[in-house]
């Protein structure tokens, strides 16, 4: 009993995932359709996806999804067959249908049982279809009559079929059937099609039947349709031949992320064991250099060394996905935005196949949307301004993604007006974010960073889309949380480029190992600006706060052992006349951390800490070093927030 | 519960506990919460952690926090020796280590011998005590692991 419901649960969740993936895939196609006009291949692709969703939803008994998908499908079919043509109004309503499908799928996923009233949308879709048909001057009266019929036609998907059949396989069979009928498509009535579908269905139901038996069954399946009888067996035959070969698709496996993470954990442990073995074999190599067994040991361990490195890489790659998953929603986003701002915008995407870690996929969407929105709203000029400047009326926004070393670079550039740095500085002072003194000393590069400061918006009037200056500071925070950084290059009237750099994987980071009070700590390398060795008398004290002057700039200084609440061994470090300082820069904030010793740079595997409250302990996670010791990784972001406060004084 | 409970011949429930000593008193935890018992490994002190959180250890590649039960219960701390152990417990999907003076044995205790904790003001926070078992003249304090776990994560 519970097995059965588990299975059903699995089928449903599979349906949701696949349906969402189809929607992700077809959504950009709509926008492309609108641009390039009717492309048979694309129309067919959308039609099939809609049909698959309808079929599977019908099988599972989700009537609202069936209704929406069915009406959309009818439109796509007419488009494909050239009976109607693409129009903006029609695309608007179809995109609404896609949105509605997403909402419905969302409800299913959340198990919230909320029902959406889809009838207004279905009505809109029907109206759009009827309008489109009557818009065609060469329309035949029969086609007109047919339209409402096809919109209401009940679907033949057998809801009562046994639950063990994969709904997608069933739907796929239907599609194969449709493909098969394509050459004769226009001459076929809906009923004949349904008959063929039922035949295909019957064949799937009876897996053990031979082709002969199925052929025998077909006349029975189509006897509902006497007028078309002569044609149907032919079609059904084509179906039989075509359906049973879904082999040449790429072999994909859907695996639970938890399982992959488990393998990743285990691979990390193997790495640790390997490191220890390397230590041991080195020891034997030195002590028993003449023993032939020692040589075998060293050889074996070095082989293990290589295999382990390869394995770690392979596991890391399992978590990587093409970034296209995030980008696919952007063509639609840009379309909607350019329509509401009445700006003509073209979006170019390059390198959408670049693979990044799953965590990056999950977290990069919002920052990218913010930047894209900013580029279109603030970066690109209005059409009149562009023409006045002698630029093409259509603005271009490019997204370019590529891998560089062990980093992924995402560049978003526009050919707009560029960032007016003097204006930025003026606004920063006006809004009290910075003093006029501070602004004067800013280099142009540093000045562009003003955009990322909390509460800053360069547009005098906040627009509905770009909001009121919240957002860009969130971009910086989100990207920092992925251990990445963002920078801007801009040129007046030529455009601006936002460049985001993110490490390929988040599980391993580069860290600086330091020692304080006899304990080792790891500090992520990315926010470290430089390290210095200073003598004690260079450290000054202003109103109780230790500071150090680095190249004429005052920088607050904190002792790491005080920050971490380490009191013992404290006097040992104070005996030394010198201090090692690590200069951290987080956005506009800079501060120094004083440590006893710099140990060196290391690649560390981040382990999550469970069971310890890390919200106020300046600890990000922990790692295990080659000798099996636990070393804490410090959270310099939290330090900067807590020590320097959120607003600059 | 099914694994640690058995029936005596009289049909009474037998509960299984791991017992350990702390400051010469006997304590017990439900065996189902106990994952393993280890010798004291190298403990890395955790920064800015509450006093009773001794630090973290590397348990086969997992980093897990270790709690000094003496400090947690307000007892005087004691230098670790040969008999000191870390009991690895898993509660509410979080793994913790507990430092104890010594681990004694696995005990089967009939449920009839377990009494509710008497209202008392001892050094130990009464919240953590689930009951007291009287067995052959011994008094064993049964600890409520869920209370303990909730505590280590929130403080």
């Amino acid at each position: 009993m519970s097995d059965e419901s588990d299975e059903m649960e699995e089928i449903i969740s599979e349906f949701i995932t696949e349906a969402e993936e189809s929607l992700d895939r077809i959504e950009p196609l709509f926008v492309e359709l609108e641009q390039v006009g009717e492309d048979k291949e694309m129309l067919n692709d959308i039609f099939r996806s809609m049909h698959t969703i309808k079929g599977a939803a019908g099988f599972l008994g989700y009537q609202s999804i069936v209704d929406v998908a069915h009406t959309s499908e009818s439109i796509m079919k007419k488009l494909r067959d050239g009976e109607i043509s693409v129009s903006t109004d029609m695309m608007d309503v179809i995109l609404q249908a896609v949105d509605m499908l997403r909402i419905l799928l969302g409800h299913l996923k959340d198990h919230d049982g909320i029902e959406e009233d889809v009838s207004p949308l279905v009505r809109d879709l029907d109206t759009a279809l009827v309008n489109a048909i009557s818009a065609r001057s060469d329309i035949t009266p029969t086609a007109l009559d047919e339209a409402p019929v096809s919109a209401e036609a009940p679907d033949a998907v057998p809801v009562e079929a046994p639950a063990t059949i994969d709904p997608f396989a069933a739907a796929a069979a239907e599609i194969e059937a449709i493909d098969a009928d394509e050459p004769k498509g226009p001459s076929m009535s809906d009923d004949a099609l349904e008959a063929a579908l039922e035949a295909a269905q019957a064949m799937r139901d009876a897996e053990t039947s031979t082709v002969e038996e199925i052929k025998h069954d077909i006349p029975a399946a189509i006897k509902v349709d006497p007028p078309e009888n002569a044609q149907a067996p032919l079609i059904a035959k084509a179906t039989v031949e075509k359906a049973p070969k879904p082999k040449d698709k790429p072999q994909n496996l859907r695996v639970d992320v938890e399982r992959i993470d488990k393998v990743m954990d285990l691979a990390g442990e193997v790495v640790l064991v390997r490191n220890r073995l390397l230590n041991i074999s080195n020891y034997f190599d030195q002590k028993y250099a003449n023993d032939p067994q020692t040589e075998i040991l060293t050889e074996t361990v070095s082989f293990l060394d290589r295999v382990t490195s390869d394995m770690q890489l392979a596991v890391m790659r399992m978590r990587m996905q093409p970034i296209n998953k995030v980008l696919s929603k952007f063509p639609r986003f840009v379309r909607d935005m350019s329509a509401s701002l009445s700006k003509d915008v073209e979006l170019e995407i390059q390198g959408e196949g670049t693979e990044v870690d799953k965590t990056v996929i999950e977290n990069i969407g919002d920052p990218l949307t913010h930047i894209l929105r900013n580029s279109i709203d603030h970066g690109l000029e209005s059409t009149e301004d562009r023409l006045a400047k002698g630029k093409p009326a259509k603005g271009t926004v490019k997204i370019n993604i590529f891998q560089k070393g062990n980093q992924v670079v995402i560049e978003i550039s526009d050919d707009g007006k560029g960032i007016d740095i003097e204006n930025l500085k003026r606004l920063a002072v006006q809004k009290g974010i910075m003093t006029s003194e501070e602004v004067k000393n800013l280099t142009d590069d540093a000045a562009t960073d003003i955009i990322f400061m909390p509460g800053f918006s360069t547009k005098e009037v906040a627009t509905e889309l770009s909001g009121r200056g919240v957002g860009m500071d969130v971009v910086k925070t989100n990207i920092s949380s992925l251990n990445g950084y963002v920078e801007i290059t801009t040129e007046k009237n030529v455009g601006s480029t936002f460049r985001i750099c993110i490490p390929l994987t988040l599980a391993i980071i580069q860290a600086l190992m330091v020692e304080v009070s006899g304990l080792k700590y790891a500090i992520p390398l990315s926010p470290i600006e430089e390290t210095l060795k200073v003598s004690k008398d260079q450290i000054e004290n202003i109103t109780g706060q230790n500071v150090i002057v680095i190249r004429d700039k005052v920088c607050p200084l904190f002792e790491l052992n005080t920050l971490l609440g380490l009191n013992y061994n404290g006097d040992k470090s104070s005996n030394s006349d010198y201090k090692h300082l690590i200069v951290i820069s987080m956005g506009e904030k800079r501060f120094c951390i004083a440590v006893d010793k710099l140990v060196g740079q290391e690649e560390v595997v981040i382990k999550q800490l469970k069971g310890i409250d890390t919200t106020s302990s300046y600890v990000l996670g922990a790692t295990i070093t080659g000798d099996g010791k636990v070393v804490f990784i410090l959270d310099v972001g939290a330090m900067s927030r807590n020590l320097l406060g959120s607003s600059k004084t | 519960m099914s694994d640690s409970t058995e029936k005596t011949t009289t049909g009474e429930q037998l509960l299984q506990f791991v017992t350990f000593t702390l400051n010469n008193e006997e304590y017990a935890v439900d065996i189902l919460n106990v994952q393993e018992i280890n010798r004291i490994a190298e403990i890395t002190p955790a920064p800015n952690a509450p006093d009773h959180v001794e630090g973290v250890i590397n348990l086969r590649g997992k980093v897990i926090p270790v709690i000094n039960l003496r400090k947690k219960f307000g007892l005087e701390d004691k230098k670790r020796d040969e008999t000191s152990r870390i009991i690895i417990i898993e509660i509410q999907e979080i793994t913790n280590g507990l430092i104890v003076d010594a681990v004694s044995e696995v005990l089967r205790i009939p449920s009839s011998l377990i009494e509710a904790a008497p209202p008392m003001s001892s050094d130990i926070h009464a919240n953590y005590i689930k009951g007291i078992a009287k067995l052959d003249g011994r008094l064993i304090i049964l600890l409520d692991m869920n209370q303990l776990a909730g505590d280590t994560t929130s403080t």
Side-chain angles (χ1 to χ4, degrees):
Chain A
M1 182 65 204
S2 74
D3 266 6
E4 211 167 274
S5 68
D6 277 0
E7 204 171 300
M8 204 56 208
E9 195 64 19
E10 210 169 285
I11 290 172
I12 292 171
S13 88
E14 191 134 308
F15 161 68
I16 296 170
T17 326
E18 296 211 19
E20 280 180 337
E21 269 171 19
S22 310
L23 291 178
D24 284 348
R25 204 166 45 79
I26 62 174
E27 199 170 305
L29 293 182
F30 284 115
V31 181
E32 218 175 319
L33 260 187
E34 211 175 15
Q35 284 161 1
V36 304
E38 282 144 60
D39 180 292
K40 189 124 187 162
E41 212 28 65
M42 256 188 262
L43 285 167
N44 222 350
D45 203 0
I46 299 172
F47 169 72
R48 276 188 230 181
S49 302
M50 280 293 181
H51 190 84
T52 313
I53 292 172
K54 180 184 81 172
F59 177 83
L60 295 164
Y62 298 130
Q63 196 51 45
S64 358
I65 296 183
V66 173
D67 290 346
V68 176
H70 179 83
T71 16
S72 315
E73 182 199 334
S74 318
I75 296 183
M76 293 327 295
K77 187 168 182 292
K78 295 261 184 272
L79 280 173
R80 187 192 64 178
D81 297 345
E83 288 175 35
I84 54 175
S85 46
V86 179
S87 71
T88 315
D89 287 348
M90 174 167 291
M91 280 304 140
D92 280 340
V93 66
I94 291 188
L95 286 172
Q96 276 173 32
V98 171
D99 288 343
M100 178 55 83
L101 286 175
R102 279 190 204 280
I103 294 169
L104 293 170
L105 288 168
H107 288 321
L108 278 186
K109 201 155 51 174
D110 299 342
H111 297 285
D112 55 12
I114 297 175
E115 290 285 333
E116 296 282 338
D117 183 14
V118 296
S119 52
L121 178 64
V122 171
R123 227 174 7 251
D124 286 351
L125 284 166
D126 279 340
T127 319
L129 181 58
V130 172
N131 287 346
I133 290 170
S134 43
R136 293 284 281 216
S137 51
D138 58 330
I139 195 78
T140 57
T142 47
L144 240 178
D145 288 343
E146 214 183 312
V149 175
S150 74
E152 283 159 31
D155 211 74
V157 181
V159 180
E160 73 284 357
T164 44
I165 289 186
D166 177 359
F168 271 89
E174 286 189 50
I175 286 168
E176 300 277 10
I178 291 161
D179 283 351
D181 89 57
E182 223 167 38
K184 327 176 173 65
S187 66
M188 168 113 23
S189 81
D190 279 353
D191 288 344
L193 194 72
E194 299 291 357
L197 294 184
E198 273 179 34
Q201 191 61 50
M203 189 195 68
R204 293 209 65 92
D205 288 350
E207 275 184 0
T208 48
S209 315
T210 64
V211 173
E212 252 58 45
E213 280 170 325
I214 292 163
K215 276 184 183 164
H216 180 260
D217 284 342
I218 285 164
I222 52 170
K223 71 171 180 280
V224 282
D225 184 25
E228 296 287 327
N229 219 351
Q231 225 177 4
L234 252 177
I235 304 140
K237 196 176 169 199
T239 320
V240 171
E241 278 159 10
K242 199 141 186 190
K245 51 165 191 175
K247 272 281 163 188
D248 20 332
K249 287 183 200 156
Q251 300 265 312
N252 283 326
L253 251 185
R254 227 173 257 284
V255 182
D256 199 327
V257 186
E258 267 176 37
R259 292 194 195 174
I260 291 176
D261 287 350
K262 180 77 197 164
V263 177
M264 188 126 128
D265 272 0
L266 292 173
E269 281 173 45
V270 174
V271 169
L272 296 174
V273 174
R274 181 224 27 209
N275 292 350
R276 300 182 90 154
L277 269 179
L278 280 172
N279 282 345
I280 296 168
S281 97
N282 280 344
Y283 168 82
F284 276 100
D285 200 24
Q286 278 162 18
K287 198 155 185 192
Y288 306 103
N290 298 325
D291 194 325
Q293 291 296 320
T294 309
E295 203 178 315
I296 296 173
L297 174 72
T298 0
E299 246 172 51
T300 318
V301 172
S302 74
F303 180 63
L304 177 74
D305 185 17
R306 278 201 311 277
V307 175
T308 314
S309 304
D310 288 354
M311 179 180 70
Q312 212 182 5
L313 201 72
V315 177
M316 240 159 67
R317 290 209 45 164
M318 288 205 303
R319 271 181 60 97
M320 309 254 274
Q321 291 173 316
I323 196 158
N324 198 20
K325 249 191 136 129
V326 182
L327 301 177
S328 61
K329 65 174 180 185
F330 287 154
R332 161 86 189 275
F333 174 77
V334 171
R335 173 193 183 272
D336 288 356
M337 215 180 142
S338 59
S340 77
L341 290 171
S342 336
K343 284 181 182 175
D344 205 358
V345 185
E346 185 169 334
L347 176 69
E348 281 176 28
I349 298 180
Q350 261 172 24
E352 65 265 44
T354 312
E355 292 196 329
V356 292
D357 191 87
K358 193 180 161 305
T359 330
V360 174
I361 298 263
E362 281 159 4
N363 293 296
I364 199 71
D366 284 349
L368 285 185
T369 313
H370 274 303
I371 294 177
L372 200 56
R373 185 183 285 165
N374 195 71
S375 295
I376 296 171
D377 195 7
H378 301 314
L380 294 178
E381 309 92 331
S382 63
T383 312
E384 306 87 72
D385 287 357
R386 288 184 69 87
L387 288 171
K389 282 179 189 171
K391 289 185 178 182
K394 195 170 205 170
T396 310
V397 176
K398 278 187 202 152
I399 303 182
N400 189 17
I401 298 138
F402 54 94
Q403 194 178 328
K404 192 178 162 193
N406 53 2
Q407 287 204 313
V408 176
V409 183
I410 305 171
E411 286 179 348
I412 298 157
S413 34
D414 62 66
D415 63 348
K417 55 177 176 272
I419 296 167
D420 185 344
I421 287 171
E422 288 314 310
N423 191 34
L424 270 187
K425 289 184 178 175
R426 192 177 54 80
L427 282 165
V429 176
Q430 195 183 317
K431 286 170 198 249
I433 297 172
M434 294 177 108
T435 65
S436 46
E437 270 305 296
E438 285 173 314
V439 161
K440 242 177 230 155
N441 292 328
L442 284 182
T443 61
D444 282 3
D445 270 355
T448 53
D449 266 2
I450 294 175
I451 289 186
F452 294 116
M453 289 183 180
F456 186 85
S457 171
T458 50
K459 201 148 194 191
E460 321 273 306
V461 185
T463 63
E464 185 198 332
L465 285 158
S466 290
R468 303 179 175 274
V470 290
M472 290 312 270
D473 60 315
V474 176
V475 167
K476 188 139 200 173
T477 326
N478 282 2
I479 290 169
S480 308
S481 75
L482 294 169
N483 292 320
Y485 60 92
V486 54
E487 56 189 19
I488 308 173
T489 48
T490 183
E491 197 177 328
K492 200 165 177 165
N493 287 329
V494 176
S496 317
T497 299
F498 287 75
R499 184 177 294 106
I500 302 171
C501 297
I502 296 167
L504 265 188
T505 169
L506 297 172
I508 296 175
I509 59 163
Q510 292 283 337
L512 179 70
M513 307 297 269
V514 300
E515 207 176 286
V516 64
S517 303
L519 291 165
K520 252 203 220 175
Y521 292 95
I523 300 175
L525 210 57
S526 52
I528 298 180
E529 205 169 82
E530 59 182 324
T531 58
L532 303 166
K533 191 179 179 188
V534 297
S535 75
K536 277 218 158 138
D537 46 353
Q538 279 178 272
I539 299 170
E540 290 169 59
N541 191 300
I542 302 173
T543 62
Q545 168 68 56
N546 279 343
V547 295
I548 180 130
V549 178
I550 305 168
R551 287 185 292 276
D552 295 339
K553 286 189 95 179
V554 180
C555 192
L557 182 147
F558 304 93
E559 297 275 343
L560 189 58
N561 52 8
T562 335
L563 289 182
L564 300 181
L566 306 166
N567 297 317
Y568 50 95
N569 287 349
D571 49 357
K572 200 160 113 193
S573 54
S574 58
N575 283 340
S576 152
D577 289 334
Y578 290 97
K579 282 255 169 222
H580 288 276
L581 300 187
I582 298 159
V583 185
I584 308 276
S585 126
M586 299 288 288
E588 285 304 291
K589 294 173 197 154
R590 256 164 112 238
F591 61 99
C592 294
I593 303 172
V595 299
D596 297 347
K597 214 160 113 190
L598 301 179
V599 181
Q601 189 182 328
E602 237 173 76
E603 256 189 5
V604 300
V605 181
I606 303 176
K607 302 257 173 191
Q608 293 308 318
L609 285 173
K610 269 194 192 162
I612 290 192
D613 180 32
T614 52
T615 45
S616 58
S617 60
Y618 301 141
V619 167
L620 188 82
T623 188
I624 296 171
T625 55
D627 50 6
K629 286 192 180 118
V630 182
V631 169
F632 285 103
I633 303 167
L634 301 179
D635 184 355
V636 285
M639 287 181 192
S640 124
R641 279 195 299 279
N642 283 5
L643 300 172
L644 306 177
S646 52
S647 65
K648 188 143 180 160
T649 45
Chain B
M1 252 337 213
S2 58
D3 282 355
S4 71
T5 53
E6 286 173 30
K7 296 272 164 85
T8 58
T9 43
T10 54
E12 200 180 359
Q13 269 201 329
L14 271 180
L15 303 165
Q16 285 196 67
F17 291 92
V18 172
T19 66
F20 60 87
T21 56
L22 213 57
N23 208 20
N24 297 323
E25 281 187 294
E26 269 196 289
Y27 292 82
V29 290
D30 190 327
I31 200 164
L32 284 183
N33 292 136
V34 178
Q35 190 184 320
E36 60 189 271
I37 295 159
N38 291 343
R39 285 175 191 281
I40 303 278
E42 187 174 340
I43 299 172
T44 308
N48 297 323
D51 198 34
H52 64 265
V53 176
E54 197 72 17
V56 295
I57 56 166
N58 167 15
L59 182 75
R60 290 185 304 279
K62 258 190 180 170
V63 177
I64 64 164
V66 175
I67 290 142
N68 186 333
L69 264 196
R70 273 178 172 264
K71 283 188 187 167
K72 175 90 192 170
F73 290 162
L75 304 168
E76 190 195 337
D77 200 16
K78 169 177 169 271
K79 207 174 158 15
R80 285 181 206 118
D81 55 28
E82 263 303 287
T83 62
S84 303
R85 291 289 183 275
I86 297 179
I87 303 180
I88 310 291
I89 55 165
E90 198 192 312
I91 314 139
Q92 292 154 18
E93 295 189 359
I94 292 174
T95 314
N96 272 307
L98 304 176
I99 302 178
V100 300
D101 290 357
V103 170
S104 328
E105 60 189 326
V106 174
L107 265 187
R108 285 187 171 76
I109 306 176
S111 54
S112 63
L113 297 183
I114 299 172
E115 288 174 15
M120 56 179 176
S121 63
S122 76
D123 288 338
I124 304 167
H125 210 292
N127 270 351
Y128 305 133
I129 303 176
K130 200 158 64 175
I132 307 273
K134 283 183 294 182
L135 200 72
D136 309 330
R138 288 151 73 187
L139 281 182
I140 301 166
I141 304 162
L142 308 181
L143 292 177
D144 186 340
M145 284 292 117
N146 287 321
Q147 286 291 342
L148 212 59
D151 245 45
T152 57
T153 47
S154 59
T155 45

